[in-house]
Amino acid sequence: MKSSLTTRIRIRTFVTAALAAVALVSGGTSLSPGIAAAADNSVVVTPQEAEKNHGLPPKGANNWKCKPSRAHPNPVVLVHGASANMFVNWVKISPMLADKGYCVFALTYGVPDGTPFPLNQIGGRNVMERSAVELGAFIDKVLAATKAAKVDIVGHSEGSLMPNHYVKFLGGAAKVDKYVAMTPLWDGSKVFGADVLYKLARQFGLGPVIDKISGEVFASAPQFLHGSDFLNKLNAGGVAVPGITYTNIMTRYDEAVVPYTSGVMNAPNATNIVVQDLCPKDLSEHGLMAIDPVTAKVIVNALDPAHAKPVTC
């Protein structure tokens, strides 16, 4: 009896830590602003299309008639973080890029099959290998519609990590030019010590139990953790893929990516930027990076380095 109780407590502890880590990695993004603001979105989408695509796109995104200009030849694909969706994650950055003349596209990915509304607004839950396949299909659709040779990716949190699986293992290297990663976690997160707890779970033989529980709720959760099988495979031989220009944007106040230096990529084709090095008084944490004006300026410079401007605070 005592042994059984102890086992249940251990399971509950491990699951709670892992799911708490995911909640933080998502930036604690609330879904209600996106759903409430959907009526004000300028993109015309039928209810059937919204249901199929897990919600409305942010303003400025998914104009499938957009043709890239000579100044901005690459369409920009926006990839949201865990538990977010395309609308809430990119409500600021999407219209900004569209106003600057970019063809902007966004998707909500990682929603388990058969998820009903409104739970189908919570993306990034499938294992990242599966989400990477979904992203690849979306990028192929963007390239076909725009007749562009390559896309640029701007991702936040899980959206800064998962696309690299597509790039490295699913043929994406030939289709991606610039890769801008906000709050990346190339080395995973140690938030709440969840990485240690998860490792202990496996040592106690609880791995299959944890995987089953997390798989039913948030299958990507354990993959974010430092030392996960997903990250070990992704980092083997070097995380950066030659031929792609990476820009990693971090914040010292990241409460989800712990330590925030997990976002550093040591590679000749990577630039690592901490927003507080540019603006010491910038207090943006993990979630707020998506609406941070300093981060937005860094993104614009990364997408168009030939016309980069000094970042003002």
Side-chain angles (χ1 to χ4, degrees), residues 88-89 91-93 182 284 287-293:
V88 297
N89 213 137
V91 68
K92 294 293 184 182
I93 289 176
M182 299 160 48
S284 297
L288 289 178
M289 290 283 278
I291 58 173
D292 175 41

Side-chain angles (χ1 to χ4, degrees), residues 52-299:
K52 179 181 177 181
N53 296 302
H54 309 302
L56 295 169
K59 184 177 181 181
N62 294 0
N63 174 5
W64 294 99
K65 295 182 179 180
C66 184
K67 299 302 178 185
S69 65
R70 183 175 298 180
H72 304 306
N74 295 338
V76 178
V77 175
L78 304 176
V79 191
H80 64 74
S83 85
N85 59 46
M86 58 181 162
F87 189 97
V88 297
N89 213 137
W90 304 114
V91 68
K92 294 293 184 182
I93 289 176
S94 177
M96 176 201 71
L97 292 177
D99 288 346
K100 292 183 179 297
Y102 288 92
C103 290
V104 181
F105 297 89
L107 77 162
T108 295
Y109 66 89
V111 178
D113 296 337
T115 304
F117 180 86
L119 294 179
N120 66 347
Q121 306 300 302
I122 306 174
R125 290 182 285 145
N126 288 333
V127 292
M128 283 188 268
E129 295 91 341
R130 181 176 174 183
S131 291
V133 173
E134 194 175 348
L135 173 64
F138 184 79
I139 287 176
D140 285 345
K141 181 180 177 182
V142 170
L143 292 176
T146 60
K147 309 302 181 185
K150 294 187 176 184
V151 302
D152 293 335
I153 287 176
V154 177
H156 184 201
S157 193
E158 180 181 357
S160 74
L161 179 64
M162 176 273 288
N164 214 39
H165 181 89
Y166 161 70
V167 165
K168 198 169 186 180
F169 302 117
L170 301 179
K175 302 175 184 179
V176 175
D177 182 14
K178 301 178 188 69
Y179 190 135
V180 184
M182 299 160 48
T183 65
L185 55 164
W186 304 117
D187 194 37
S189 182
K190 300 178 181 180
V191 64
F192 291 158
D195 60 315
V196 176
L197 290 172
Y198 189 70
K199 189 178 296 184
L200 285 172
R202 293 197 171 278
Q203 291 176 357
F204 281 114
L206 299 175
V209 178
I210 302 302
D211 291 342
K212 184 178 187 300
I213 295 174
S214 65
E216 294 174 353
V217 181
F218 224 115
S220 60
Q223 297 183 307
F224 297 122
L225 301 179
H226 171 74
S228 70
D229 291 342
F230 175 82
L231 288 171
N232 289 339
K233 179 182 177 181
L234 190 67
N235 293 335
V239 65
V241 175
I244 294 177
T245 302
Y246 293 86
T247 302
N248 302 297
I249 312 172
M250 295 160 276
T251 172
R252 287 196 177 94
Y253 300 111
D254 201 321
E255 79 286 10
V257 179
V258 179
Y260 74 90
T261 50
S262 173
V264 172
M265 180 182 281
N266 295 311
N269 54 328
T271 299
N272 302 300
I273 298 171
V274 179
V275 293
Q276 286 78 24
D277 289 342
L278 301 173
C279 297
K281 294 183 179 180
D282 190 324
L283 301 180
S284 297
E285 45 71 69
H286 190 84
L288 289 178
M289 290 283 278
I291 58 173
D292 175 41
V294 175
T295 301
K297 292 173 185 176
V298 175
I299 290 171

